[in-house]
């Protein structure tokens, strides 16, 4: 299977090249970049020298699937010819995640190719595996929505929580991409933590769309607040919701029932692991796992669900490869068996 990567020089594109270089059924045959055209991938990123490709302005080879790691709007523009010609496409930008075009335009501006939105499948395999299997265009989820949705989906689908949800999430600096910004310099972020986008973050509509689409919930209200943490990779999302009247998971037996509910929900999903204690970002560093710890505050009765991922793997490139595997009928875990790096 021949693969093209559009914008291999961003963090998601770099991670795609790394993962796909060891995929037993995939051959990366064409990679593009915007400022490094004509250079070999190994010259720009020595750790990818084994890939042995020259960065071009356009995808120069015929491919079976193309990944786009461009920013929103630019991604839809570059993917349009591939989509129209029937090449399977996986978009890591936000261009095809939101089904409501008015909401997309509120957060991202005018959509370059709205005619393709209806055909796109939201690529969270744990919720949409069957749809991904038949898709020609997959919208890879955002990094923050991935652990947030996965942390709440089991109780939401079971109708156990109220519609008012709070997500407090922390992310490493790589989530901001490779663009130069004084706010992400080492001296600015080291030994410091800060909240940002306090007035509203554009990943919030994804969380609201996907949780609200589950059978047990209906429309939800989401308060989402991200924080920047002085580390390179990782997202930890702490999610809070009120249990519906009459629902209780009190005491040790209640905790065991809650854990069983989560494990049953994700029983057939190889990359979600329900932990017996709160996870740390180290436990997902470099792999495609999402580790989740659900519990109930015994004082307030409020559900607390913590989700943890590597933002560049399960939050971007790894999940994109997981979607590719499903789209082509391959084992879901193929090329993604990497264990976490520790310490």
């Amino acid at each position: 299977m021949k693969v093209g990567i559009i914008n291999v020089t961003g963090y998601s594109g770099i991670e795609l090249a790394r993962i796909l270089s060891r995929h037993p059924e995939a051959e990366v045959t064409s990679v593009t970049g915007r400022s490094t055209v004509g250079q070999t991938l190994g010259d720009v990123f020595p750790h990818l020298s084994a890939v042995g490709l020259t960065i071009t302005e356009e995808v120069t080879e015929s491919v079976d699937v193309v990944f786009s790691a461009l920013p929103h709007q630019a991604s839809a523009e570059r993917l349009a010819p591939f989509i129209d010609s029937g090449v399977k496409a996986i978009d890591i930008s936000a261009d095809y995640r939101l089904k409501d075009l008015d909401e997309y335009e509120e957060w991202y501006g005018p959509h370059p190719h709205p005619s393709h939105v209806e055909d796109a499948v939201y690529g969270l395999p744990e919720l949409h595996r069957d749809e991904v299997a038949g898709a020609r265009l997959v919208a890879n989820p955002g990094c923050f929505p991935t652990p947030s949705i996965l942390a709440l989906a089991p109780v939401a689908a079971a109708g156990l929580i109220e519609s008012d949800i709070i997500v407090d999430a922390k992310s490493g600096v790589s989530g901001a991409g490779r663009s130069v910004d004084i706010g992400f310099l080492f001296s600015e972020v080291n030994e410091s933590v800060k909240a940002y986008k306090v007035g509203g973050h554009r990943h919030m509509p994804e969380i609201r769309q996907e949780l609200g689409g589950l059978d047990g919930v209906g429309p939800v209200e989401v308060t989402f607040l991200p924080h920047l943490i002085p580390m390179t990779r990782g997202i930890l999302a702490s999610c809070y919701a009120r249990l519906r009247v009459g629902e209780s998971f009190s005491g040790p037996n209640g905790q065991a029932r809650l854990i069983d509910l989560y494990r049953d929900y994700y029983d057939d999903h190889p990359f979600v692991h329900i932990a017996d204690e709160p996870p740390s970002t180290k436990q997902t560093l470099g792999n495609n796992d999402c580790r989740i710890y659900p519990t109930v505050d015994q004082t307030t009765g409020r559900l607390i669900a913590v989700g943890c991922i590597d933002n560049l793997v399960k939050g971007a490139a790894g999940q994109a490869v997981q979607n590719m595997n499903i789209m082509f009928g391959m084992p879901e875990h193929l090329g993604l068996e990497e264990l976490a790096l520790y310490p």
Side-chain angles (χ1 to χ4, degrees):
M1 178 173 54
K2 294 184 177 181
V3 177
I5 302 173
I6 299 173
N7 195 34
V8 75
T9 54
Y11 284 139
S12 296
I14 296 165
E15 195 71 350
L16 271 171
R18 182 184 73 86
I19 294 170
L20 290 168
S21 69
R22 292 183 292 178
H23 194 291
E25 298 296 333
E27 179 189 3
V28 180
T29 58
S30 187
V31 295
T32 80
R34 291 181 288 181
S35 60
T36 54
V37 173
Q39 300 182 59
T40 68
L41 200 53
D43 286 340
V44 183
F45 305 111
H47 73 292
L48 296 177
S49 58
V51 178
L53 291 173
T54 298
I55 300 169
T56 56
E57 189 171 352
E58 304 287 343
V59 173
T60 57
E61 303 288 332
S62 175
V63 294
D64 301 298
V65 59
V66 62
F67 295 86
S68 175
L70 283 167
H72 62 273
Q73 297 194 323
S75 191
E77 289 282 8
R78 291 288 290 276
L79 280 178
F82 295 96
I83 298 168
D84 291 339
S85 65
V87 174
K88 292 187 178 183
I90 300 171
D91 185 10
I92 298 179
S93 87
D95 280 340
Y96 295 107
R97 295 173 188 163
L98 299 179
K99 292 301 183 183
D100 186 326
L101 278 172
D102 290 336
E103 190 158 46
Y104 174 91
E105 293 186 358
E106 177 184 346
W107 292 94
Y108 298 98
H111 200 293
H113 287 278
S115 61
H116 294 145
V117 171
E118 194 63 33
D119 298 326
V121 171
Y122 189 79
L124 191 61
E126 292 77 14
L127 268 61
H128 301 294
R129 180 192 276 157
D130 290 344
E131 298 97 312
V132 170
R136 305 291 301 183
L137 170 61
V138 167
N140 221 54
C143 54
F144 280 122
T146 294
S148 305
I149 296 166
L150 293 177
L152 290 170
V155 286
L160 298 178
I161 59 173
E162 299 289 348
S163 60
D164 189 9
I165 292 165
I166 297 172
V167 177
D168 180 299
K170 283 82 174 173
S171 173
V173 182
S174 63
R178 296 188 72 217
S179 59
V180 178
D181 188 312
I182 192 171
F184 303 116
L185 295 176
F186 177 82
S187 297
E188 301 292 325
V189 301
N190 188 43
E191 300 184 57
S192 180
V193 177
K194 71 172 182 179
Y196 65 99
K197 298 290 184 182
V198 176
H201 189 285
R202 60 195 183 195
H203 282 182
M204 180 277 293
E206 287 180 57
I207 302 172
R208 185 170 61 193
Q209 170 184 282
E210 293 303 307
L211 290 178
L214 294 170
D215 291 339
V217 186
V220 298
E221 291 299 323
V222 178
T223 300
F224 172 59
L225 184 62
H227 298 74
L228 186 66
I229 299 290
M231 62 184 184
T232 301
R233 293 173 180 245
I235 287 178
L236 190 137
S238 300
C239 309
Y240 309 93
R242 286 281 185 189
L243 292 170
R244 287 193 169 163
V245 175
E247 299 294 344
S248 174
F249 290 92
S250 61
N253 290 337
Q255 178 67 15
R257 287 191 295 110
L258 184 62
I259 293 288
D260 286 344
L261 172 73
Y262 270 73
R263 287 182 174 154
D264 288 346
Y265 189 87
Y266 289 119
D267 181 59
D268 192 32
H269 296 282
F271 294 113
V272 178
H273 304 278
I274 309 306
D276 292 319
E277 59 184 27
S280 68
T281 56
K282 281 280 189 185
Q283 294 165 1
T284 59
L285 184 62
N287 71 19
N288 199 53
D289 291 348
C290 177
R291 298 187 67 82
I292 298 171
Y293 175 73
T295 191
V296 171
D297 185 317
Q298 298 301 309
T299 302
T300 65
R302 183 181 287 111
L303 175 88
I304 303 170
V306 181
C308 182
I309 65 168
D310 183 320
N311 57 293
L312 296 180
V313 189
K314 183 60 172 169
Q319 186 148 255
V321 173
Q322 184 182 355
N323 281 315
M324 179 194 76
N325 288 340
I326 296 168
M327 292 168 81
F328 285 88
M330 296 182 290
E332 193 167 339
H333 65 274
L334 205 62
L336 295 166
E337 299 93 340
E338 192 79 28
L339 298 176
L341 299 173
Y342 187 87

